[in-house]
Amino acid sequence: MSSLREVRALQQSLSTKEGQTFLRSALSVHRDIMAKTSKRSVERGEEEKMVKKKKTGSSKEIEEKKKGKKGKETKENGLKTSKVKAGKVTKRPKKTSAASKSDDKIGGESDERPSKKKGKSLVATKKSKLFVQHQKAEEKRNLQEAKRQSAREAMRRRETERVEAAGPENRVGLYDIEGESTPSVSEDDDDDSDEDWSDEDDDDDEEYEEEYEDDMDPEFQPCASAENDDKEGDGEVPQDAPPVRRRKAAPVEADSDDDPDPPKPGQDYYRPDKFGWCRSLEDVSVQPFKGATPHGPTFQKLPEPMDYFLMFMSITIISSIAKWTNKAMKTAGQHVQTSVEEIKAWIGIHLVMGLVRIPYYQDYWSKHLGYRNNLIASTMSRHRFDTLSSFLHGNDPDVEPLPRPDQTDKPAVEKKDLQKQLGPVMPVWEEVILNSQKNFNLGHNVTIDEAMVKYRGFRATTRKFFMPLKPIRSGFKLYALADSITGYTANFITHPFNGGKPSTMKDIAMTVMRPFLFRFHHLFTDKLYTSVNLANDLLANETYLTGTVKSNSSGLPEDFKAASPKIKRLGKCDRGTFYTRQHSQLTCAYWKDSRSVEILSSAHQGYRNKKDDHVIRKVKDDGMREREEKEIKAPKQAIDYIKSMAGVDRADQLRSYYTCARKAKLWWRQIFYYLIDVCMVNAWICYKMHNPPKRGKAAATDDSGAVDDISKNLTHSEFVMKVAEQLIRGHTDRTGGFEPPQANPLPLPQHAAPDCRWVNLQRKHARQCSWCRSNDWRNISGNIPTTRYGCKICNQNLCQTCFLDYHGLR
């Protein structure tokens, strides 16, 4: 038979036993023909592969050519092949004779390869890449075709066995390869075979399809049609089925030690691990707080906001800054000296700049009404402001400055002393820390964390950090101690040099906490500092510790390691699951919130209060569209950590609102700005505690009926502006209402010509100031100042301040 259609027609016409025998023989002949046809197609495909491989080389050889590998050529069966011996690479010899060209001939056809040149053309490279891609796609199609052929053969074999097993009374139709089912033929009625469909045959077909699917190769995926193969071109099988949706795995049941109960007599005893951590819990004794009380400022309520600021940035340190600045100006040849009132005004101007931010600071003195700030412009000229900014010193200039770390004399830096890195601003640093510790009583809970100071230069003696994923990417890292409730900053240090002391995070935490030990403070830290050694050292110094800890930290419970099966199962449990281990005074809790977190504490029990110890979380359960608030059980360690860890972050937040920091060339100037911001934030916190907000009450008035300014409960911005105005008021009386800028704000000389004005001389290049040159006054760089301004009548280039001196007004 030539096709299965004729076989089916013969089956319908023949109902005798001889007909069935003839049908079986015809099927066997058809199967043999199909097998031979498939075998010939496979052999033909292999022959085509060999020819292409001989002509262009295998894909592996092409990849080796791309990588630049060279091999030794040998001749096998008249073809050139390259072999690379293990560990040795030899160059391919060049053919010079004409006889060598005839070795490439196969079946009378010549395979002439183009000569290799050093600069292979881009076209040849693209052709080789396309050939490799087409070859891989062809191999993939051939593999899929072979899998389909094997599946068809298995199907035919099983169908033949079914036909042979069926008797003449049970005539079952053949399974159509194209997917059509064959109706059964009845002995009584042959004409109705096109209309009647047997249910039993349908059941047999379904059973056969299940068996057929079981016998198929699991990696085989049938294509929709041969046309799709031609259209795809890359051998990929189109999948019309929709993607399978993964269901969320059901939570794993927690272990028996979840949410442990308080200790009781006769409880089960569990053997401790090698570090001493045990599942059996005991009561932890916590001593009462012995620090100074009451919590808050140690001084009485002050009348003015500026007085709060001067409690931290004292007049003593401002007088020292003025003295050191005058010494530097005198050395540079500056004839105008500064004073304490002028330094206070300079600080006040920076506070105003922090409130009203303009990127280019010279616009504060602009003549344009949209940019000009009359409070700043009427307080100090821009030239004088620049002069003070250039010569401002936070230490005695006669003291030899410390060398930078990038200089050759690195051993001159005393790495053992942490504060020696802050030479240019060291006295101000120490004064601010001393006043911060003296003027405030910290509460029971305190926090240690990092505080970043922005700096992008490379000339600092303090170590600079670069962290691209942080809000401040580059700058100095300071370790600060702050009150957990208010955010009051009480102590801070810089990061040491490599090899300096303190060298570890435990030493850094102990150094920052040293002034407040032996008071039973409760210190909260994050996993950067927390360790079992730090907890034991603080406990020996009568200080408690609570903080998150890294799971690979030394000395922790063995079954709390990240790779332990218990912790792996905890990640699949419900939120709120936690386990606890105890070692003497220390407790370690592993809690599952949105993520698993490990908390170490020396001031908490290993169990929780079933009624009160929980946190509120927004959880989305199965079948819910929106998240709803839900109580999640939590250990007491986690609840206190969440409430008390944000002390330093709160201080950084208040400092960032109205920071006075400006871009500066001197690295220590950024540290100086940080100290001013710390003084302002601490002053604001003390002011708030002395003046709590009054709800529903009018502001206090004195006997004359005037409203007391300090009782108005100023906002943060109003407090900063009040401090800035009062600092400036001692330097000038022109801090009143706004005065529009005039065309010529300088006074005219009385005895000079009436047309003498300080104007722009419209010269191409700036010239030296005549008055500065005659008095040999030089700037910080040692050069005589230059300017394009001066007196047009006198034809002299003069600075703004030298214009008055030149015309005899000073």
Side-chain angles (χ1 to χ4, degrees):
M1 296 295 174
S2 60
S3 65
L4 290 179
R5 299 288 182 181
E6 298 178 2
V7 174
R8 293 196 185 99
L10 181 61
Q11 182 185 10
Q12 294 175 4
S13 61
L14 298 177
S15 60
T16 60
K17 186 175 182 179
E18 291 79 9
Q20 294 292 333
T21 305
F22 180 78
L23 179 62
R24 285 195 294 270
S25 62
L27 284 173
S28 62
V29 173
H30 180 71
R31 185 173 61 253
D32 295 338
I33 293 173
M34 294 299 297
K36 290 180 182 180
T37 304
S38 62
K39 186 176 180 180
R40 289 175 185 174
S41 62
V42 172
E43 291 177 355
R44 191 181 298 108
E46 291 179 355
E47 289 177 0
E48 292 177 359
K49 285 183 183 180
M50 291 297 295
V51 172
K52 290 182 179 180
K53 192 172 182 181
K54 290 175 183 178
K55 287 184 178 180
T56 59
S58 63
S59 60
K60 292 184 179 180
E61 292 177 352
I62 294 175
E63 291 178 0
E64 291 178 358
K65 291 176 185 178
K66 290 180 182 179
K67 295 180 181 178
K69 294 184 179 180
K70 297 181 180 180
K72 184 178 179 181
E73 292 186 351
T74 58
K75 296 181 180 180
E76 295 179 3
N77 300 326
L79 296 176
K80 294 188 294 182
T81 59
S82 59
K83 295 183 179 180
V84 180
K85 296 184 178 180
K88 297 182 180 179
V89 180
T90 59
K91 296 183 178 179
R92 180 180 294 180
K94 298 181 179 179
K95 292 186 178 182
T96 56
S97 61
S100 61
K101 296 182 180 179
S102 62
D103 295 338
D104 298 334
K105 295 181 179 180
I106 301 175
E109 296 180 2
S110 62
D111 184 16
E112 296 181 1
R113 298 182 180 180
S115 59
K116 289 188 177 181
K117 298 181 180 180
K118 293 184 178 179
K120 191 174 182 181
S121 64
L122 183 62
V123 177
T125 305
K126 290 183 177 180
K127 287 183 178 180
S128 62
K129 290 182 180 180
L130 290 174
F131 171 74
V132 173
Q133 293 177 0
H134 288 301
Q135 191 174 13
K136 289 182 179 180
E138 185 179 359
E139 292 176 357
K140 196 171 183 180
R141 285 195 297 270
N142 292 337
L143 179 62
Q144 291 182 355
E145 183 63 29
K147 289 181 179 181
R148 295 191 194 98
Q149 187 66 26
S150 62
R152 293 190 189 100
E153 291 178 358
M155 182 182 62
R156 295 189 189 99
R157 185 171 56 255
R158 295 179 63 85
E159 183 64 24
T160 304
E161 293 175 357
R162 288 184 60 188
V163 171
E164 292 177 354
E169 65 279 359
N170 297 325
R171 299 183 180 87
V172 180
L174 292 176
Y175 185 83
D176 193 358
I177 296 177
E178 298 179 0
E180 299 177 357
S181 59
T182 304
S184 61
V185 179
S186 166
E187 293 183 0
D188 301 331
D189 189 7
D190 296 338
D191 298 335
D192 299 334
S193 60
D194 294 336
E195 299 177 0
D196 296 337
W197 293 79
S198 174
D199 296 338
E200 296 178 357
D201 293 343
D202 294 340
D203 298 338
D204 293 340
D205 290 342
E206 293 176 1
E207 180 182 359
Y208 167 72
E209 289 175 1
E210 293 177 358
E211 295 175 356
Y212 169 67
E213 291 176 357
D214 295 338
D215 290 343
M216 288 182 61
D217 190 349
E219 297 182 359
F220 172 68
Q221 295 180 354
C223 292
S225 62
E227 296 179 359
N228 291 336
D229 293 343
D230 298 336
K231 291 179 181 179
E232 294 291 337
D234 55 353
E236 295 182 359
V237 179
Q239 298 179 358
D240 298 332
V244 180
R245 218 174 186 183
R246 294 185 178 181
R247 294 183 179 179
K248 188 176 180 181
V252 178
E253 236 181 87
D255 295 346
S256 59
D257 55 341
D258 174 32
D259 195 4
D261 296 326
K264 57 185 177 181
Q267 64 180 357
D268 296 337
Y269 174 76
Y270 296 91
R271 186 176 180 181
D273 60 8
K274 64 178 182 180
F275 297 111
W277 294 95
C278 183
R279 178 175 168 180
S280 302
L281 302 180
E282 299 177 357
D283 288 329
V284 176
S285 61
V286 180
Q287 299 296 327
F289 178 57
K290 294 183 179 180
T293 54
H295 174 229
T298 58
F299 52 88
Q300 299 296 324
K301 182 177 178 180
L302 300 176
E304 296 293 340
M306 184 186 67
D307 298 335
Y308 285 90
F309 177 76
L310 295 179
M311 290 296 297
F312 302 95
M313 184 66 68
S314 62
I315 293 295
T316 304
I317 194 64
I318 294 178
S319 302
S320 300
I321 292 173
K323 182 179 66 175
W324 297 327
T325 303
N326 285 331
K327 187 179 292 187
M329 294 173 71
K330 185 177 180 180
T331 304
Q334 289 289 329
H335 60 288
V336 180
Q337 300 293 301
T338 186
S339 62
V340 175
E341 300 300 331
E342 193 173 28
I343 297 297
K344 289 168 59 178
W346 184 87
I347 296 175
I349 289 175
H350 275 83
L351 294 179
V352 176
M353 289 181 177
L355 283 168
V356 185
R357 303 294 297 183
I358 297 179
Y360 191 50
Y361 82 99
Q362 293 186 357
D363 288 338
Y364 290 106
W365 288 269
S366 174
K367 294 181 179 180
H368 195 284
L369 297 179
Y371 296 109
R372 184 181 179 86
N373 188 297
N374 193 60
L375 179 60
I376 294 176
S378 61
T379 299
M380 188 180 299
S381 65
R382 184 175 61 84
H383 180 75
R384 184 59 179 173
F385 180 83
D386 292 340
T387 302
L388 286 178
S389 301
S390 301
F391 291 98
L392 190 76
H393 273 64
N395 201 348
D396 192 350
D398 294 339
V399 178
E400 184 178 358
L402 293 173
R404 299 194 308 270
D406 56 350
Q407 292 179 350
T408 56
D409 51 350
K410 286 184 179 181
V413 179
E414 299 181 14
K415 295 183 178 179
K416 294 183 179 180
D417 190 354
L418 176 66
Q419 306 301 336
K420 288 294 183 180
Q421 307 172 32
L422 303 170
V425 73
M426 183 64 191
V428 184
W429 177 281
E430 292 179 341
E431 182 73 16
V432 172
I433 292 178
L434 181 62
N435 293 335
S436 299
Q437 296 176 5
K438 179 180 63 175
N439 295 329
F440 197 88
N441 292 331
L442 294 178
H444 182 208
N445 298 337
V446 293
T447 308
I448 290 180
D449 207 348
E450 302 91 15
M452 291 297 297
V453 178
K454 189 175 182 179
Y455 176 70
R456 298 176 61 184
F458 299 94
R459 302 177 64 86
T461 59
T462 302
R463 182 178 176 182
K464 189 188 72 170
F465 285 82
F466 177 73
M467 297 175 288
L469 301 181
K470 296 289 186 178
I472 299 179
R473 301 177 60 192
S474 177
F476 307 123
K477 181 184 285 189
L478 307 182
Y479 301 97
L481 174 71
D483 187 79
S484 297
I485 300 175
T486 61
Y488 181 94
T489 304
N491 195 15
F492 41 86
I493 63 173
T494 59
H495 191 90
F497 283 115
N498 293 333
K501 291 185 178 180
S503 57
T504 62
M505 301 310 298
K506 180 179 75 70
D507 296 336
I508 289 176
M510 292 296 296
T511 303
V512 178
M513 194 64 191
R514 185 175 293 119
F516 305 96
L517 297 175
F518 301 101
R519 302 180 186 180
F520 289 108
H521 277 289
H522 193 171
L523 176 64
F524 291 86
T525 58
D526 59 12
K527 61 182 179 181
L528 183 65
Y529 310 90
T530 311
S531 64
V532 176
N533 294 333
L534 177 61
N536 290 328
D537 290 353
L538 289 174
L539 199 59
N541 291 276
E542 298 182 358
T543 304
Y544 298 116
L545 173 69
T546 297
T548 57
V549 62
K550 297 179 181 179
S551 58
N552 60 352
S553 182
S554 61
L556 293 177
E558 288 185 332
D559 55 347
F560 277 10
K561 297 296 182 181
S564 65
K566 188 179 191 67
I567 301 305
K568 289 183 178 179
R569 289 194 304 272
L570 178 63
K572 302 178 182 179
C573 295
D574 291 328
R575 295 181 69 171
T577 305
F578 74 94
Y579 309 124
T580 308
R581 298 293 181 267
Q582 184 173 352
H583 175 38
S584 184
Q585 182 76 13
L586 303 182
T587 57
C588 185
Y590 222 120
W591 178 46
K592 169 65 183 305
D593 193 19
S594 57
R595 300 174 66 181
S596 300
V597 59
E598 190 171 2
I599 304 175
L600 181 68
S601 177
S602 60
H604 290 91
Q605 306 293 341
Y607 53 90
R608 72 181 184 96
N609 188 343
K610 307 290 184 180
K611 296 181 181 180
D612 301 332
D613 292 346
H614 59 266
V615 294
I616 305 298
R617 293 287 187 268
K618 288 188 176 181
V619 182
K620 185 177 181 181
D621 295 334
D622 295 339
M624 296 175 56
R625 295 185 177 180
E626 298 181 357
R627 298 179 181 270
E628 293 184 356
E629 292 186 352
K630 185 178 179 181
E631 291 186 357
I632 302 297
K633 61 181 181 179
K636 185 64 175 176
Q637 296 94 317
I639 297 174
D640 290 347
Y641 179 83
I642 294 171
K643 291 181 180 179
S644 304
M645 184 55 204
V648 178
D649 295 336
R650 188 174 289 108
D652 291 341
Q653 182 182 16
L654 293 173
R655 183 168 56 91
S656 65
Y657 287 155
Y658 311 111
T659 177
C660 67
R662 306 290 301 186
K663 186 177 179 181
K665 293 182 179 179
L666 301 175
W667 67 268
W668 61 267
R669 190 65 58 80
Q670 303 299 330
I671 302 292
F672 184 72
Y673 291 148
Y674 171 78
L675 296 176
I676 295 177
D677 290 338
V678 168
C679 294
M680 180 56 65
V681 171
N682 289 348
W684 162 245
I685 293 173
C686 294
Y687 169 81
K688 283 200 306 180
M689 298 188 74
H690 278 162
N691 300 273
K694 299 178 181 179
R695 298 178 181 177
K697 294 184 179 180
T701 57
D702 55 12
D703 297 337
S704 61
V707 178
D708 189 8
D709 292 339
I710 200 67
S711 63
K712 288 183 179 179
N713 296 330
L714 303 175
T715 62
H716 192 186
S717 60
E718 293 173 349
F719 178 81
V720 175
M721 182 58 74
K722 281 284 186 181
V723 173
E725 288 179 348
Q726 292 171 4
L727 288 173
I728 291 172
R729 190 177 301 164
H731 177 65
T732 178
D733 294 330
R734 295 176 294 171
T735 58
F738 176 77
E739 297 178 2
Q742 300 176 2
N744 185 16
L746 292 178
L748 296 176
Q750 299 296 329
H751 64 281
D755 295 333
C756 286
R757 298 286 189 278
W758 187 74
V759 296
N760 190 348
L761 300 180
Q762 302 295 333
R763 292 176 177 174
K764 185 175 181 181
H765 300 288
R767 298 183 182 180
Q768 292 181 351
C769 174
S770 301
W771 190 256
C772 293
R773 184 175 63 250
S774 61
N775 292 278
D776 196 20
W777 291 340
R778 300 179 182 273
N779 54 21
I780 191 172
S781 301
N783 302 322
I784 296 176
T786 59
T787 179
R788 290 186 174 87
Y789 288 80
C791 182
K792 193 172 185 179
I793 301 301
C794 302
N795 195 21
Q796 296 291 334
N797 285 66
L798 297 170
C799 301
Q800 187 175 7
T801 55
C802 296
F803 177 83
L804 302 177
D805 297 335
Y806 181 80
H807 290 87
L809 297 179
R810 289 195 181 184

